[in-house]
């Protein structure tokens, strides 16, 4: 699977709202599944089924 970059557009309770940087629709992701320190404006890399903050 190819790596994908996401941008956290906002935090809504226990969920981060992510948008693919290549374009696409936003979707919610549980904060518990994201790396510590994830906040609004964070860029995340999704690779091998794991989100990281590079």
């Amino acid at each position: 699977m190819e790596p994908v970059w996401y941008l956290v557009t906002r935090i809504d309770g226990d969920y981060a709202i992510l948008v693919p940087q290549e374009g696409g629709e936003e979707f919610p992701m549980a904060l518990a599944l994201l790396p510590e320190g994830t906040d609004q404006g964070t860029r995340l890399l999704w690779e091998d089924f794991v989100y990281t903050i590079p």
Side-chain angles (χ1 to χ4, degrees), residues 4-54:
V4 180
W5 287 94
Y6 291 96
L7 178 65
V8 178
T9 57
R10 69 183 189 275
I11 304 294
D12 188 11
D14 290 336
Y15 291 87
I17 308 303
L18 306 181
V19 174
Q21 293 215 298
E22 296 290 322
E25 293 187 31
E26 64 182 23
F27 64 95
M29 177 60 62
L31 280 171
L33 300 176
L34 299 176
E36 189 174 322
T38 299
D39 201 359
Q40 185 172 329
T42 302
R43 287 182 67 215
L44 298 170
L45 176 62
W46 181 77
E47 189 171 32
D48 297 328
F49 301 100
V50 176
Y51 290 95
T52 59
I53 300 174

